[in-house]
Amino acid sequence: MDVPEPTTEAEIERVLRMTAEVAPDFGDHMAWHFALRWSRLFVLSSVWRVVSRLLVDPAPTIRTRALELVNGWTDGAGVTVPRLLEITRNHAAAYPEPELRVELSRTLANLAVTVRSFRAKIAGAIVSFLDGAPPPRGTTALLAEYEPDAVIVSAGRWTDDDEDQVAAEVTASAMAMYRRDHVLALMHALAGRNAGFRAQVAKAIAGPIAIPDDKLQLILDNDGLPMPATTPTIDDCRRALGL
Protein backbone atom coordinates (compact mmCIF):
# COMPACT_ATOMS: atom_id res chain seq x y z
CA MET A 1 0.00 0.00 0.00
CA ASP A 2 1.41 3.38 -1.00
CA VAL A 3 -0.16 6.24 0.92
CA PRO A 4 0.78 9.88 0.22
CA GLU A 5 2.26 11.77 3.14
CA PRO A 6 -0.53 13.51 5.06
CA THR A 7 -0.19 17.22 5.66
CA THR A 8 -1.28 17.40 9.31
CA GLU A 9 -0.99 15.26 12.43
CA ALA A 10 -4.76 14.90 12.49
CA GLU A 11 -4.61 13.44 9.00
CA ILE A 12 -1.77 11.09 9.99
CA GLU A 13 -3.87 9.78 12.85
CA ARG A 14 -6.93 9.38 10.63
CA VAL A 15 -4.95 7.36 8.09
CA LEU A 16 -3.41 5.16 10.75
CA ARG A 17 -6.72 4.47 12.45
CA MET A 18 -8.39 3.69 9.12
CA THR A 19 -5.73 1.13 8.23
CA ALA A 20 -5.30 -0.51 11.63
CA GLU A 21 -7.48 -3.47 10.65
CA VAL A 22 -6.20 -3.71 7.05
CA ALA A 23 -3.99 -6.67 6.17
CA PRO A 24 -0.49 -5.59 5.13
CA ASP A 25 0.43 -5.68 1.45
CA PHE A 26 2.65 -8.43 0.12
CA GLY A 27 6.18 -7.80 1.33
CA ASP A 28 5.07 -5.71 4.29
CA HIS A 29 5.27 -7.15 7.79
CA MET A 30 2.70 -4.94 9.46
CA ALA A 31 -0.40 -2.95 8.65
CA TRP A 32 1.37 0.40 9.09
CA HIS A 33 4.55 -0.50 7.22
CA PHE A 34 3.63 2.06 4.57
CA ALA A 35 4.30 4.86 7.06
CA LEU A 36 7.97 3.93 7.21
CA ARG A 37 8.21 4.59 3.47
CA TRP A 38 7.46 8.25 4.08
CA SER A 39 10.49 10.53 4.35
CA ARG A 40 12.71 9.95 7.38
CA LEU A 41 12.36 13.54 8.56
CA PHE A 42 8.58 13.38 8.27
CA VAL A 43 8.41 10.15 10.26
CA LEU A 44 10.65 11.58 12.97
CA SER A 45 9.07 15.03 13.15
CA SER A 46 5.38 14.24 12.65
CA VAL A 47 4.48 10.55 12.49
CA TRP A 48 6.31 9.74 15.69
CA ARG A 49 4.35 12.34 17.68
CA VAL A 50 1.12 10.64 16.62
CA VAL A 51 2.38 7.09 17.19
CA SER A 52 3.75 8.10 20.60
CA ARG A 53 0.22 9.07 21.65
CA LEU A 54 -1.29 5.94 20.11
CA LEU A 55 0.98 3.74 22.21
CA VAL A 56 -1.39 4.41 25.11
CA ASP A 57 -4.62 4.45 23.09
CA PRO A 58 -7.59 2.72 24.75
CA ALA A 59 -8.01 0.37 21.78
CA PRO A 60 -5.82 -2.77 21.95
CA THR A 61 -5.59 -2.98 18.16
CA ILE A 62 -4.24 0.56 17.91
CA ARG A 63 -1.64 -0.10 20.61
CA THR A 64 -0.67 -3.31 18.83
CA ARG A 65 -0.12 -1.47 15.54
CA ALA A 66 1.85 1.26 17.30
CA LEU A 67 4.13 -1.35 18.89
CA GLU A 68 4.60 -3.04 15.52
CA LEU A 69 5.66 0.23 13.95
CA VAL A 70 8.06 1.00 16.80
CA ASN A 71 9.54 -2.48 16.54
CA GLY A 72 10.12 -2.04 12.81
CA TRP A 73 11.46 1.51 13.04
CA THR A 74 14.90 0.71 14.39
CA ASP A 75 16.28 4.00 13.04
CA GLY A 76 14.06 5.74 15.58
CA ALA A 77 15.24 3.81 18.62
CA GLY A 78 16.78 6.94 20.10
CA VAL A 79 13.29 8.39 20.61
CA THR A 80 11.15 5.28 20.85
CA VAL A 81 13.08 3.55 23.64
CA PRO A 82 12.79 6.47 26.10
CA ARG A 83 9.06 6.65 25.37
CA LEU A 84 8.55 2.92 25.95
CA LEU A 85 10.53 3.12 29.17
CA GLU A 86 8.35 6.03 30.29
CA ILE A 87 5.23 3.97 29.53
CA THR A 88 6.48 1.05 31.64
CA ARG A 89 7.08 3.46 34.54
CA ASN A 90 4.08 5.76 34.36
CA HIS A 91 1.43 4.16 32.14
CA ALA A 92 1.61 0.44 32.87
CA ALA A 93 -2.14 0.45 33.52
CA ALA A 94 -2.65 1.28 29.83
CA TYR A 95 -1.55 -2.30 29.10
CA PRO A 96 -3.91 -4.55 31.06
CA GLU A 97 -3.71 -7.32 28.42
CA PRO A 98 -1.00 -9.92 29.23
CA GLU A 99 -0.30 -10.50 25.54
CA LEU A 100 0.34 -6.80 24.91
CA ARG A 101 2.57 -6.56 27.98
CA VAL A 102 4.60 -9.33 26.40
CA GLU A 103 4.70 -7.52 23.06
CA LEU A 104 5.84 -4.26 24.62
CA SER A 105 8.52 -6.15 26.52
CA ARG A 106 9.66 -7.92 23.37
CA THR A 107 9.78 -4.64 21.49
CA LEU A 108 12.03 -3.13 24.14
CA ALA A 109 14.26 -6.22 24.09
CA ASN A 110 14.54 -6.04 20.30
CA LEU A 111 15.49 -2.38 20.40
CA ALA A 112 18.13 -3.10 23.05
CA VAL A 113 20.19 -4.54 20.21
CA THR A 114 20.20 -1.10 18.54
CA VAL A 115 20.73 1.06 21.63
CA ARG A 116 23.17 -1.04 23.59
CA SER A 117 23.82 1.70 26.14
CA PHE A 118 20.21 1.22 27.32
CA ARG A 119 20.42 -2.55 27.76
CA ALA A 120 20.62 -2.65 31.55
CA LYS A 121 17.90 -0.01 31.93
CA ILE A 122 15.66 -1.81 29.44
CA ALA A 123 16.10 -5.12 31.26
CA GLY A 124 15.15 -3.53 34.58
CA ALA A 125 12.09 -1.90 33.03
CA ILE A 126 10.93 -5.19 31.50
CA VAL A 127 11.22 -7.00 34.84
CA SER A 128 9.18 -4.30 36.57
CA PHE A 129 6.60 -4.23 33.77
CA LEU A 130 6.14 -8.02 33.76
CA ASP A 131 5.42 -7.82 37.51
CA GLY A 132 6.75 -11.23 38.50
CA ALA A 133 5.87 -13.11 35.33
CA PRO A 134 8.72 -15.20 33.89
CA PRO A 135 10.47 -13.73 30.85
CA PRO A 136 8.71 -14.56 27.58
CA ARG A 137 10.55 -15.68 24.49
CA GLY A 138 12.29 -12.72 22.88
CA THR A 139 13.31 -11.16 26.20
CA THR A 140 15.01 -14.11 27.86
CA ALA A 141 18.64 -13.60 26.88
CA LEU A 142 18.59 -9.93 27.83
CA LEU A 143 17.01 -10.56 31.23
CA ALA A 144 19.28 -13.51 32.01
CA GLU A 145 22.25 -11.24 31.33
CA TYR A 146 21.17 -8.14 33.26
CA GLU A 147 18.49 -9.30 35.72
CA PRO A 148 19.47 -12.86 36.68
CA ASP A 149 18.10 -12.68 40.24
CA ALA A 150 14.67 -11.57 39.04
CA VAL A 151 14.62 -14.34 36.45
CA ILE A 152 15.42 -16.96 39.09
CA VAL A 153 12.64 -15.71 41.36
CA SER A 154 10.10 -15.91 38.52
CA ALA A 155 11.33 -19.18 36.97
CA GLY A 156 8.82 -21.33 38.82
CA ARG A 157 5.99 -19.63 36.97
CA TRP A 158 6.90 -21.01 33.55
CA THR A 159 4.28 -23.49 32.38
CA ASP A 160 4.78 -26.74 30.46
CA ASP A 161 3.66 -25.33 27.12
CA ASP A 162 6.08 -25.16 24.19
CA GLU A 163 6.47 -21.37 24.37
CA ASP A 164 7.57 -21.47 27.99
CA GLN A 165 9.78 -24.49 27.39
CA VAL A 166 11.71 -22.58 24.72
CA ALA A 167 11.87 -19.49 26.96
CA ALA A 168 13.33 -21.54 29.81
CA GLU A 169 15.92 -23.16 27.54
CA VAL A 170 17.06 -19.85 26.06
CA THR A 171 17.20 -18.26 29.51
CA ALA A 172 19.28 -21.10 30.92
CA SER A 173 21.62 -21.03 27.93
CA ALA A 174 22.16 -17.28 28.27
CA MET A 175 22.70 -17.49 32.01
CA ALA A 176 25.23 -20.31 31.55
CA MET A 177 27.19 -17.95 29.33
CA TYR A 178 26.78 -14.52 30.91
CA ARG A 179 25.97 -15.22 34.58
CA ARG A 180 27.50 -18.52 35.60
CA ASP A 181 27.47 -17.51 39.25
CA HIS A 182 23.66 -17.67 39.06
CA VAL A 183 23.15 -20.73 36.89
CA LEU A 184 22.97 -23.31 39.69
CA ALA A 185 20.30 -21.25 41.46
CA LEU A 186 18.29 -21.26 38.22
CA MET A 187 18.72 -25.03 37.91
CA HIS A 188 17.45 -25.49 41.48
CA ALA A 189 14.46 -23.25 40.66
CA LEU A 190 13.62 -25.56 37.74
CA ALA A 191 14.26 -28.83 39.57
CA GLY A 192 10.55 -29.41 40.18
CA ARG A 193 9.65 -29.47 36.49
CA ASN A 194 8.94 -32.68 34.59
CA ALA A 195 11.88 -34.81 33.46
CA GLY A 196 11.53 -33.88 29.78
CA PHE A 197 11.55 -30.17 30.58
CA ARG A 198 14.68 -30.54 32.73
CA ALA A 199 16.45 -32.69 30.16
CA GLN A 200 15.92 -30.03 27.49
CA VAL A 201 17.26 -27.34 29.81
CA ALA A 202 20.36 -29.42 30.50
CA LYS A 203 20.86 -29.92 26.77
CA ALA A 204 20.54 -26.16 26.16
CA ILE A 205 23.27 -25.22 28.63
CA ALA A 206 25.80 -27.90 27.68
CA GLY A 207 27.53 -25.75 25.06
CA PRO A 208 27.61 -22.39 26.87
CA ILE A 209 28.73 -23.84 30.21
CA ALA A 210 31.72 -25.45 28.49
CA ILE A 211 33.08 -22.26 26.87
CA PRO A 212 36.70 -21.92 28.02
CA ASP A 213 37.66 -18.97 30.19
CA ASP A 214 39.72 -17.17 27.55
CA LYS A 215 36.80 -17.06 25.11
CA LEU A 216 34.34 -16.29 27.88
CA GLN A 217 36.45 -13.32 28.95
CA LEU A 218 36.13 -11.80 25.46
CA ILE A 219 32.37 -12.31 25.45
CA LEU A 220 31.87 -10.74 28.86
CA ASP A 221 34.25 -7.85 28.17
CA ASN A 222 32.11 -6.92 25.18
CA ASP A 223 29.13 -6.30 27.48
CA GLY A 224 31.09 -5.01 30.44
CA LEU A 225 30.25 -7.99 32.63
CA PRO A 226 32.57 -9.53 35.25
CA MET A 227 34.07 -12.97 34.99
CA PRO A 228 32.23 -15.45 37.20
CA ALA A 229 33.66 -16.30 40.58
CA THR A 230 32.47 -19.91 40.26
CA THR A 231 32.86 -22.48 37.49
CA PRO A 232 29.95 -24.94 37.59
CA THR A 233 30.18 -27.90 35.24
CA ILE A 234 27.42 -29.51 33.24
CA ASP A 235 27.39 -32.32 35.82
CA ASP A 236 26.88 -29.77 38.60
CA CYS A 237 23.97 -28.32 36.64
CA ARG A 238 22.41 -31.71 35.99
CA ARG A 239 22.59 -32.55 39.69
CA ALA A 240 20.97 -29.21 40.56
CA LEU A 241 18.19 -30.06 38.09
CA GLY A 242 17.70 -33.43 39.78
CA LEU A 243 18.84 -35.39 36.72
Side-chain angles (χ1 to χ4, degrees), residues 113-129:
V113 176
T114 303
V115 284
R116 295 188 65 84
S117 61
F118 277 79
R119 286 169 66 81
K121 185 177 292 187
I122 287 172
I126 291 173
V127 166
S128 177
F129 191 60

Side-chain angles (χ1 to χ4, degrees), residues 138-217:
T139 70
T140 51
L142 180 71
L143 298 193
E145 185 174 355
Y146 290 98
E147 293 287 342
D149 290 324
V151 171
I152 291 165
V153 169
S154 68
R157 296 180 65 180
W158 273 313
T159 69
D160 290 330
D161 69 20
D162 291 343
E163 179 85 6
D164 279 3
Q165 174 79 63
V166 171
E169 292 171 22
V170 175
T171 299
S173 176
M175 200 172 290
M177 180 182 297
Y178 294 108
R179 294 291 189 174
R180 286 185 184 173
D181 288 336
H182 295 76
V183 72
L184 291 180
L186 178 64
M187 299 301 98
H188 283 297
L190 298 175
R193 309 314 300 264
N194 67 67
F197 189 108
R198 288 179 285 138
Q200 287 300 111
V201 168
K203 182 178 179 181
I205 67 174
I209 206 71
I211 294 174
D213 285 351
D214 57 342
K215 292 184 179 179
L216 181 63
Q217 182 77 67

Side-chain angles (χ1 to χ4, degrees), residues 187-188 190-192 195 198 235-243:
M187 299 301 98
H188 283 297
L190 298 175
R198 288 179 285 138
D235 288 336
D236 294 330
C237 294
R238 289 181 61 84
R239 281 193 292 271
L241 280 167
L243 293 173

Side-chain angles (χ1 to χ4, degrees), residues 12-25:
I12 293 169
E13 183 169 345
R14 187 186 70 81
V15 169
L16 294 179
R17 288 187 180 280
M18 284 178 55
T19 56
E21 302 283 359
V22 177
D25 282 355

Side-chain angles (χ1 to χ4, degrees), residues 214-238:
D214 57 342
K215 292 184 179 179
L216 181 63
Q217 182 77 67
L218 295 174
I219 293 169
L220 298 181
D221 284 350
N222 187 56
D223 281 358
L225 297 174
M227 280 290 287
T230 57
T231 54
T233 66
I234 186 61
D235 288 336
D236 294 330
C237 294
R238 289 181 61 84

